Amino acid sequence: MDFTKAIRTTRLRFSSFCIAFCAALGLAALALTMATLWPLQASAVSYEGGPIETISAAALFAAGVTALYRLPGLNRMYIGLVYLLLAERELDAGIYPMGSKFYWALSSIDTLLDIAVLQVVLAVLIIGGFALHGIPNALRALKLRAPFLLVFVLAGLLACVAQVLEEVSSVYAADLSHVMIVRLLVWEEILEMFFSIGMLAAVLIGWPKTCFHEAQNRSRPKLF
């Protein structure tokens, strides 16, 4: 009886995931369509340090903090560290008034990350964690068709497309109209925002519970 209930619960969660996933794709398509039709208007919220970039940084920061909390341990620390580093990269101290709290915080972090010893430590934690934990668990998730892996991969593809758009706008800037350049830049910011949200969603979804855990109603299983 408990096993049947566990299966029903799993199916319900999968259906909820599909609905949320389709809604997110629809929202992304709508945002890109609006940016295509009205690029100049969309650029009013997609400038450096603007609302879209702020949302991107906030989502990555939330993903980093959540990963460090939900995935404790030295071999899994790289997940949270990567998200936090991406969040720091998303914001530039120069866009804020000198002397402001944001400028001081970002400048301090930039100075800290320039320390060679810290760079070596971060590199060891990230590369080592990816090799010892990331690759084996990615293969396991692929076999299980874990939902979080699908979200992670699609979000990564959005980041790749955003990077390509940035390169195109830079290389062919002389051959493109002003409106087209603005459109490419807006697309880039929107895709990066959905990449950040996708990373946060992947962390929140986490490793799927087995029917055994559901049936026994045990404490939260170990993620990853």
Side-chain angles (χ1 to χ4, degrees), residues 89-175:
R89 176 183 174 275
E90 194 68 24
L91 295 177
D92 183 12
I95 63 178
Y96 297 100
M98 188 174 296
S100 64
K101 293 182 179 179
F102 283 109
Y103 179 87
W104 177 84
L106 292 174
S107 298
S108 300
I109 295 174
D110 289 338
T111 303
L112 189 64
L113 292 176
D114 286 336
I115 301 176
V117 175
L118 182 59
Q119 292 177 351
V120 172
V121 172
L122 290 175
V124 170
L125 288 174
I126 293 173
I127 297 175
F130 181 76
L132 298 177
H133 175 267
I135 295 177
N137 279 276
L139 296 176
R140 286 179 54 209
L142 184 62
K143 292 180 181 179
L144 294 174
R145 297 181 181 180
F148 84 89
L149 183 63
L150 173 62
V151 176
F152 180 86
V153 171
L154 288 179
L157 290 176
L158 292 181
C160 293
V161 174
Q163 186 62 38
V164 171
L165 293 178
E166 182 180 4
E167 293 297 327
V168 169
S169 62
S170 299
V171 174
Y172 299 100
D175 301 323

Side-chain angles (χ1 to χ4, degrees), residues 40-82:
L40 298 179
Q41 289 80 355
S43 65
V45 294
S46 59
Y47 55 89
E48 290 290 330
I52 290 182
E53 192 171 79
T54 301
I55 292 174
S56 299
L60 288 171
F61 179 79
V65 174
T66 303
L68 291 175
Y69 172 74
R70 298 187 66 182
L71 307 172
L74 193 62
N75 65 328
R76 296 182 290 183
M77 187 182 295
Y78 74 99
I79 301 174
L81 291 177
V82 169

